[in-house]
Amino acid sequence: MNAVITGATKGIGKAIAIKLAEKGCNIAICARNTAELEVFSGELRAFGVQVFSFAADLGVKAEVANFCSAVSRTFSKVDVLVNNAGTYLPGMLLEEADDAFEKQLNLNLLAPYYLSKYFGKIMSDQRSGHVFNICSVASKEIVPNAGSYSVTKSALLSLNDVCREELSKYNVKVTAILPGSTLTSSWEGTEIPAERFVQPEDIANTIYSILNLSAGVNVDEVTLKPLQF
C-alpha cells in the first residue's frame, strides 16, 4: 500500500508513519521542517519501503496543492490518507486575536478539506482507499481555553462525515480518530506521568487494525481517552 501522512515528523503522525512503514507500506510525508523530514525519511527507509518527503506549510493553500501534485508524480495510486497535521493555539474565543482562529482554521480544517478532495477523487477512480482524519475529543466537547480549536475540530468531524457519505459510493472508507490527551510535544514540561496519557502508538495501532478489517466494514469513528487523567 501507499500511504500519505501529513504532519509526520512528530507525535501522532510520526507514530503512524513508523507503524505503516514497519508493515511494508510505502510512505509519503510532509512537514514544515526540511531537516527533520530528511532525518525521519532515513529512519523510515530502514524498513525497506519507498519514502517520499516534501516540505510544506499546509496552512497555505498553494503549498497543499504542491504537495498533492508531488505525491501524484511519485505514487501511481494512493491507498491511505491520514490528515494529521494540525495546530492548537490556546485561548478564550472572546479574547484571542482573530488570526489565532484563522491559523487553526487553515491547518485544522482547510488543509484536510483540500487533501480529502484531491486524494478522494483518486481513490474514487480506483474504487478503493481509506481516509483517516485525526480529529479530537474537542470535536464533540468544549475544551476550556480552546474555543477556536474546538470549533475547527468540530468542523473537521463534520467534514469527515460528509466525505464518508460521498466516498462510500465508490468503495472508499473514511474514519475519524478522536484522541483525548495524548503524549505529544504539546504536553512538554508537564508533571503528569507519561503513562497517564494516550500514547501516539495507541493511535497508530488503532489505524493499522482498522486497515486490516474486512472489505465490507467501515469504522465511522474511534475515541481514545486516558483511563485516568
Side-chain angles (χ1 to χ4, degrees):
M1 293 194 299
N2 299 327
V4 177
I5 305 165
T6 66
T9 57
K10 295 179 181 178
I12 294 171
K14 184 173 185 177
I16 295 168
I18 290 172
K19 182 68 176 184
L20 296 186
E22 181 184 34
K23 297 300 182 179
C25 294
N26 299 316
I27 305 292
I29 58 175
C30 71
R32 288 177 291 183
N33 189 303
T34 302
E36 290 179 356
L37 277 170
E38 291 177 356
V39 171
F40 186 46
S41 295
E43 295 177 19
L44 293 175
R45 291 190 182 98
F47 292 107
V49 298
Q50 181 182 355
V51 179
F52 170 74
S53 65
F54 191 88
D57 179 354
L58 298 187
V60 178
K61 182 179 180 180
E63 296 194 31
V64 177
N66 291 340
F67 174 60
C68 291
S69 297
V71 171
S72 289
R73 291 193 296 269
T74 303
F75 291 155
S76 59
K77 63 192 287 282
V78 172
D79 303 288
V80 179
L81 168 64
V82 182
N83 285 315
N84 168 71
T87 187
Y88 165 56
L89 301 177
M92 301 292 288
L93 194 74
L94 298 180
E95 300 173 359
E96 67 188 5
D98 291 346
D99 66 353
F101 176 70
E102 292 161 0
K103 289 175 182 177
Q104 292 175 100
L105 179 67
N106 288 336
L107 191 55
N108 296 351
L109 181 62
L110 294 184
Y113 170 80
Y114 299 132
L115 288 157
S116 296
K117 286 183 69 174
Y118 185 91
F119 291 110
K121 290 176 182 177
I122 291 173
M123 291 177 179
S124 64
D125 289 340
Q126 297 170 175
R127 294 299 193 273
S128 66
H130 204 139
V131 178
F132 292 89
N133 291 298
I134 306 301
C135 298
S136 168
V137 293
S139 298
K140 293 186 173 183
E141 305 171 6
I142 304 303
V143 176
N145 203 42
S148 288
Y149 178 79
S150 298
V151 170
T152 60
K153 286 297 187 177
S154 177
L156 178 59
L157 180 58
S158 180
L159 173 67
N160 179 90
D161 294 345
V162 170
C163 288
R164 185 179 68 243
E165 172 64 22
E166 293 192 5
L167 289 174
S168 65
K169 301 175 179 62
Y170 304 98
N171 200 43
V172 177
K173 301 180 180 184
V174 180
T175 299
I177 306 294
L178 286 70
S181 298
T182 304
L183 189 60
T184 64
S185 58
S186 62
W187 285 94
E188 188 173 349
T190 183
E191 296 182 358
I192 301 171
E195 62 271 16
R196 296 277 294 274
F197 290 87
V198 174
Q199 304 299 312
E201 292 76 16
D202 294 325
I203 298 167
N205 290 335
T206 299
I207 286 178
Y208 183 69
S209 295
I210 292 171
L211 285 171
N212 284 277
L213 297 176
S214 61
V217 65
N218 185 78
V219 177
D220 290 358
E221 63 182 56
V222 177
T223 301
L224 300 94
K225 289 184 176 182
L227 179 63
Q228 298 175 340
F229 199 79

